């Protein structure tokens, strides 16, 4: 069992149940999946960039990535249909908790001038999305082998439809929200 998964069952779930006045454990909010997405627009000119981005995202997630292709052609961006433009990976279960642990305790504190993540980045359905400027904040990436920095989107999907409940859940896990 992952460290944060154990923390959820022993500490966070009972505290949330008491706060929200619920006894049924299954009605409490929980994290269902984490989706990592890396849009590699520069891969249109340089095919090598897509391979490196997919390799680095695989290292970060610990799971093979899926390469996404364009659905339609956009002449303004010199984009054709079925061209490789990004990569994504969906984490569930033990890998999800281990990634969240590394994100909160290792990666986010390594960001320069970090003052916390935006507490308003919820989508209205209890899901939290954040962007990371470069992949070098993760310790799995060797800075000497990186030719270019690439940002990524991280979406944490919860089982609740309420942003306030999801915010309390992520606070319980130790997500460093910025003070407003």
């Amino acid at each position: 069992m992952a460290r944060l998964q154990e923390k959820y069952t022993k500490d966070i779930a009972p505290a949330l149940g008491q706060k929200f006045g619920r006894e049924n454990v299954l009605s409490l909010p929980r994290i269902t999946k984490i989706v990592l997405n890396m849009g590699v627009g520069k891969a249109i000119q340089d095919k090598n960039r897509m391979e490196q981005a997919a390799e680095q995202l695989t290292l970060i997630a610990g799971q093979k990535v899926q390469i996404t292709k364009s659905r339609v052609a956009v002449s303004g961006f010199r984009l054709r249909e079925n061209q490789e433009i990004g990569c994504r990976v969906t984490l569930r279960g033990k890998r999800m908790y281990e990634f969240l642990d590394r994100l909160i305790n290792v990666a986010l504190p390594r960001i320069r001038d970090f003052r916390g993540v935006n507490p308003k980045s919820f989508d209205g359905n209890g899901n939290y999305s954040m962007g990371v400027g470069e992949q070098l904040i993760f310790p799995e990436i060797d800075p000497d082998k990186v030719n270019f920095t690439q940002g990524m989107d991280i979406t944490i999907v919860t089982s609740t439809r309420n942003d306030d409940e999801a915010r309390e859940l992520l606070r319980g896990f130790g997500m460093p929200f910025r003070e407003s």
Side-chain angles (χ1 to χ4, degrees):
M1 197 181 234
R3 192 170 71 93
L4 283 186
Q5 191 173 8
E6 196 173 304
K7 182 179 180 182
Y8 175 76
T9 55
K10 289 184 179 172
D11 301 335
I12 299 170
L16 289 175
Q18 195 173 33
K19 180 165 186 166
F20 301 136
R22 297 187 202 152
E23 291 191 19
N24 187 352
V25 180
L26 296 176
S27 71
L28 295 174
R30 64 187 173 283
I31 298 176
T32 55
K33 64 183 176 180
I34 295 178
V35 180
L36 306 175
N37 178 34
M38 198 180 265
V40 191
K42 304 260 184 183
I44 295 170
Q45 286 93 9
D46 187 11
K47 299 289 182 204
N48 191 24
R49 271 197 133 148
M50 177 55 77
E51 293 170 11
Q52 288 179 347
E55 183 181 308
Q56 290 169 359
L57 193 56
T58 301
L59 280 174
I60 290 169
Q63 182 174 310
K64 191 171 189 279
V65 300
Q66 178 184 15
I67 294 187
T68 56
K69 296 183 177 186
S70 60
R71 294 188 192 128
V72 292
V74 181
S75 62
F77 296 121
R78 295 188 182 127
L79 180 68
R80 288 173 188 68
E81 197 174 339
N82 289 328
Q83 233 177 354
E84 296 179 346
I85 55 169
C87 49
R88 70 175 180 205
V89 62
T90 302
L91 302 173
R92 290 183 169 88
K94 188 177 179 183
R95 278 197 188 115
M96 169 186 74
Y97 283 108
E98 287 174 353
F99 172 78
L100 186 64
D101 193 14
R102 281 183 292 136
L103 176 72
I104 291 171
N105 297 317
V106 179
L108 289 179
R110 290 177 67 167
I111 296 176
R112 240 178 281 129
D113 299 329
F114 182 69
R115 291 186 180 89
V117 294
N118 189 356
K120 297 178 183 172
S121 292
F122 287 89
D123 66 352
N125 286 318
N127 305 320
Y128 185 75
S129 296
M130 62 182 279
V132 175
E134 56 183 29
Q135 79 275 33
L136 295 173
I137 63 169
F138 291 96
E140 296 87 6
I141 304 297
D142 185 16
D144 297 334
K145 295 181 181 175
V146 174
N147 298 338
F148 63 94
T149 59
Q150 178 68 41
M152 70 175 70
D153 302 317
I154 301 170
T155 303
I156 301 171
V157 181
T158 63
S159 63
T160 183
R161 294 274 166 234
N162 187 340
D163 286 350
D164 296 326
E165 289 182 9
R167 193 174 290 112
E168 288 302 315
L169 172 69
L170 291 178
R171 263 201 192 103
F173 280 116
M175 183 68 83
F177 286 114
R178 187 182 314 133
E179 297 298 320
S180 51

